[in-house]
Amino acid sequence: MPDWRRATGRKLTAMRRVRSRRSGGRNDIDEAGASGTMALILIENFRAVFYTPFYAAFALNAYEAEGLEVQRVMGATAAETAQALRSGRGDVAWGGPIRLLLDNNQRADSDLVIFCEVVRRDPFFLVGREPRPAWQLEDLPHVRLATVNEVPTPWLCLQHDLRLAGLDPAQVRRIPDRSMPENLDALRAGDIDVMQAFQPFVERAVEEGVGHIWYAAASRGLTAYTSLYTTRQCIIRDPEGLLRLTRAMYRTQQWIATHSADELAACVASFFPDLPRPTLTAAIQRYMTLRLWNRTPMLRPEGLAWLDAACRSGGYTQQSVPYDRCVDMRFAAQVIRETPPTFGDDPGHATL
């Protein structure tokens, strides 16, 4: 379970330490370029290679460079994360926009809002036992497919791919109730023909010679996949903190765009202590080649619209959610206009 009490205590300590003095009726912390640390609690979704930019921001000391003390707390369910944000036990979370689409379908007064996009394409793959260089979606109903059971988004997106290709997802011989580690074992044993997975399971299958990439979902184009989100109350309460957070992520995105997979893997390796460096590097390289990560914090409407349509076609939501109802790009637009300086080539060391 998340250690909310410890994280909240640290935040309060930091806030007391840096509480600004009043000077002539003006709060020093609000001045442009003012020094002083601000504290935020950031709720992590789960540990995954496709979340690399989030870890890179810590490893590069991007938040410290912006005068932010960010406490990272591991979240649980999407509902519990939303409750933590609304209660003030957390300030910001990262996760899929699907969470906000569902929340808006369940609550007419949903106050969750995306303010910074990081993962702009689908990080999942279809990995088959046999090489199929000419494979097409039309071939999927003829094989045994093991899909992801950890989260709903991968199958919702894949079934929408099928519908757009004129196929019926119900015709797929799908095994939906096993985890990605279990599906990799099944692929090794020959119990399935193809598995749906993200990195590093894809790279492991390829390295072992038991798997061949049939389809990279990122190749379909923009699909809003992971963003930083908060509540509208937090935007009102702490706009300066969210602006600094967005700027830190933008500077991280720019660093990633100008560095190699080897350098990025070295930057975030401490977040994946059980993953061999060559595997991590290969996984990151594959994602970079697919242009998985956004180079700016700006979420484009067409990426969210595609995900919204997939959620509705898969029966996960019923009503379309307008872009402006769950997205506020004010901070993203501001930091892009500012063109902040990039980081040097001497990244800091993250504390796990």
Side-chain angles (χ1 to χ4, degrees):
M1 292 295 291
D3 193 350
W4 301 112
R5 183 176 298 177
R6 178 179 298 176
T8 304
R10 288 175 180 170
K11 179 184 176 183
L12 291 173
T13 298
M15 289 174 68
R16 294 188 189 103
R17 186 168 63 246
V18 302
R19 185 174 292 157
S20 58
R21 300 183 303 275
R22 291 283 177 178
S23 177
R26 187 175 182 182
N27 193 330
D28 292 344
I29 200 74
D30 293 330
E31 295 180 16
S35 61
T37 302
M38 305 182 73
L40 289 173
I41 296 174
L42 173 60
I43 305 173
E44 178 178 357
N45 193 358
F46 54 83
R47 193 59 52 91
V49 175
F50 77 90
Y51 289 150
T52 284
F54 296 105
Y55 313 130
F58 284 99
L60 292 167
N61 292 324
Y63 300 123
E64 290 87 341
E66 294 298 329
L68 277 179
E69 181 176 321
V70 177
Q71 298 293 333
R72 195 175 65 255
V73 177
M74 187 64 72
T77 67
E80 289 171 340
T81 295
Q83 183 180 17
L85 293 176
R86 289 177 171 128
S87 69
R89 289 180 292 139
D91 299 300
V92 177
W94 80 63
I98 188 174
R99 296 179 170 195
L100 285 80
L101 298 177
L102 181 62
D103 195 70
N104 273 273
N105 268 255
Q106 295 175 335
R107 299 170 56 115
D109 62 344
S110 176
D111 56 347
L112 300 180
V113 60
I114 294 165
F115 64 94
C116 174
E117 185 183 57
V118 177
V119 184
R120 65 178 181 174
R121 294 178 184 238
D122 189 331
F124 281 80
F125 298 79
L126 295 182
V127 181
R129 279 184 53 80
E130 304 295 334
R132 296 272 189 98
W135 185 87
Q136 298 180 353
L137 281 171
E138 287 78 2
D139 300 325
L140 200 55
H142 307 295
V143 297
R144 295 166 298 168
L145 167 67
T147 55
V148 173
N149 79 341
E150 290 92 338
V151 286
T153 314
W155 170 246
L156 286 170
C157 290
L158 183 58
Q159 64 83 32
H160 195 54
D161 285 333
L162 292 168
R163 293 181 194 278
L164 292 176
L167 303 171
D168 182 1
Q171 298 303 312
V172 175
R173 290 183 289 164
R174 185 164 75 101
I175 303 167
D177 57 351
R178 294 194 298 219
S179 68
M180 282 180 279
E182 291 172 327
N183 287 335
L184 180 54
D185 287 340
L187 193 70
R188 292 185 182 113
D191 295 335
I192 58 174
D193 299 308
V194 57
M195 72 171 183
Q196 184 184 46
F198 60 36
Q199 297 284 23
F201 301 101
V202 176
E203 227 55 52
R204 285 174 175 164
V206 171
E207 289 171 353
E208 294 175 22
V210 300
H212 304 268
I213 295 175
W214 289 2
Y215 174 60
S219 65
R220 81 166 69 95
L222 296 181
T223 305
Y225 219 87
T226 313
S227 298
L228 290 167
Y229 65 99
T230 186
T231 62
R232 295 194 181 276
Q233 291 85 345
C234 186
I235 289 179
I236 295 171
R237 182 177 69 245
D238 194 7
E240 177 65 23
L242 298 180
L243 176 64
R244 294 186 188 193
L245 190 74
T246 306
R247 188 184 296 116
M249 182 52 68
Y250 181 38
R251 295 180 70 187
T252 301
Q253 291 171 319
Q254 294 298 292
W255 186 92
I256 291 172
T258 57
H259 287 74
S260 68
D262 284 337
E263 292 167 318
L264 182 52
C267 179
V268 301
S270 61
F271 290 86
F272 302 96
D274 300 324
L275 190 59
R277 182 69 66 82
T279 303
L280 176 60
T281 302
I284 287 174
Q285 180 61 69
R286 203 176 296 278
Y287 277 150
M288 293 178 81
T289 300
L290 289 166
R291 297 181 297 165
L292 187 81
W293 298 309
N294 205 339
R295 297 184 63 164
T296 77
M298 191 67 68
L299 190 161
R300 287 167 55 177
E302 57 265 40
L304 184 66
W306 198 98
L307 181 65
D308 185 39
C311 289
R312 286 183 286 114
S313 74
Y316 191 74
T317 59
Q318 288 72 49
Q319 301 296 321
S320 181
V321 180
Y323 179 88
D324 291 340
R325 186 170 170 182
C326 62
V327 177
D328 187 332
M329 290 284 107
R330 71 178 76 177
F331 304 124
Q334 180 171 337
V335 300
I336 292 171
R337 288 195 304 268
E338 292 173 352
T339 60
T342 58
F343 294 117
D345 291 326
D346 184 21
H349 300 282
T351 300
L352 301 183

